[in-house]
Amino acid sequence: MEIAIFQLSLFGINTYLLFDEDEKKCAVIDPGMSNPEEEKAIENFISEKGLTLTHIINTHLHIDHVAGVPFLKKKYGAPVLAHKGDEFMGQRLADQARMFGMNMNLDNIEISQYLEDGDIIKIGNGELEVISVPGHSKGSVALYDKKDGFLISGDALFQGSIGRTDLPGGNYSELITNINNRLLTLPDDTVVFPGHGPSTTIGREKRSNPFLA
């Protein structure tokens, strides 16, 4: 699969669009669009490539990762995939907005399909394996493309850092354990695309991430 990265304004989130060029199928992961210009950028990419959006996938349901879900759901009618452990956060977006001092009126997120550890999501001929990594939130997952050698880590693992654990559902020791046991066991050359900031590799984080020493 090929990957397009959209760096958006809401907390500097990375939204990813994965697509199979041959089959013309795509998925948007962690849609954080918060204004018409960002929505248009995603829409234009899908249109210009002649793609069909088959999945809206969330690594977790914090507000910055779901702000664009209502737009995509209304525009394309694709199912929304997320872990049941985060369902309560998707039903409390107004509370999340107030917590961050944001003036946003978002529809609550209705999950169409629950993600479970080990699930395989097919996007055209491509496949993503769901890896459960709770700790940043109860339902955090990462998405692994074994064939193409990359991982979308959400807010679990960053370049030189890890996700915060002081929000509802966060647990520091659980996050560290899951990163070590579920993510750092992947091949060292696996490219990591995080929810915020630059990409990295599993090998680099094993060698130099100060939180994982």
Side-chain angles (χ1 to χ4, degrees), residues 37-66:
E37 291 77 17
E38 292 175 347
E39 294 171 351
K40 193 66 176 176
I42 298 285
E43 183 181 359
N44 285 347
F45 187 93
I46 292 173
S47 176
E48 289 167 6
K49 288 284 187 180
L51 303 173
T52 298
L53 181 66
T54 58
H55 300 83
I56 302 164
I57 310 172
N58 279 97
T59 61
H60 61 295
L61 296 183
H62 285 150
I63 193 168
D64 51 330
H65 290 249
V66 303

Side-chain angles (χ1 to χ4, degrees), residues 45-190:
F45 187 93
I46 292 173
S47 176
E48 289 167 6
K49 288 284 187 180
L51 303 173
T52 298
L53 181 66
T54 58
H55 300 83
I56 302 164
I57 310 172
N58 279 97
T59 61
H60 61 295
L61 296 183
H62 285 150
I63 193 168
D64 51 330
H65 290 249
V66 303
V69 168
F71 167 77
L72 292 179
K73 182 68 177 175
K74 182 177 181 181
K75 176 75 178 178
Y76 299 101
V80 178
L81 283 60
H83 194 282
K84 187 175 178 61
D86 275 7
E87 189 167 38
F88 76 102
M89 294 196 303
Q91 296 298 313
R92 299 176 182 176
L93 291 185
D95 293 341
Q96 289 196 54
R98 284 192 294 271
M99 181 172 65
F100 290 108
M102 299 163 59
N103 183 24
M104 296 182 71
N105 184 22
L106 294 176
D107 294 335
N108 287 332
I109 303 302
E110 300 293 337
I111 301 174
S112 309
Q113 178 183 332
Y114 295 126
L115 296 176
E116 299 288 347
D117 186 56
D119 283 352
I120 300 296
I121 306 169
K122 293 189 68 65
I123 304 166
N125 290 321
E127 293 186 347
L128 291 175
E129 178 186 351
V130 177
I131 302 175
S132 181
V133 284
H136 175 64
S137 71
K138 288 183 178 180
S140 286
V141 300
L143 303 164
Y144 178 45
D145 184 330
K146 182 178 181 178
K147 179 182 177 182
D148 296 306
F150 67 80
L151 176 82
I152 294 177
S153 62
D155 282 3
L157 179 64
F158 302 119
Q159 185 187 104
S161 189
I162 61 171
R164 60 188 294 184
T165 57
D166 59 334
L167 299 173
N171 184 300
Y172 180 82
S173 61
E174 186 177 34
L175 179 58
I176 294 296
T177 297
N178 284 314
I179 291 173
N180 281 316
N181 293 345
R182 306 305 311 281
L183 302 186
L184 298 191
T185 53
L186 297 174
D188 281 3
D189 61 354
T190 301

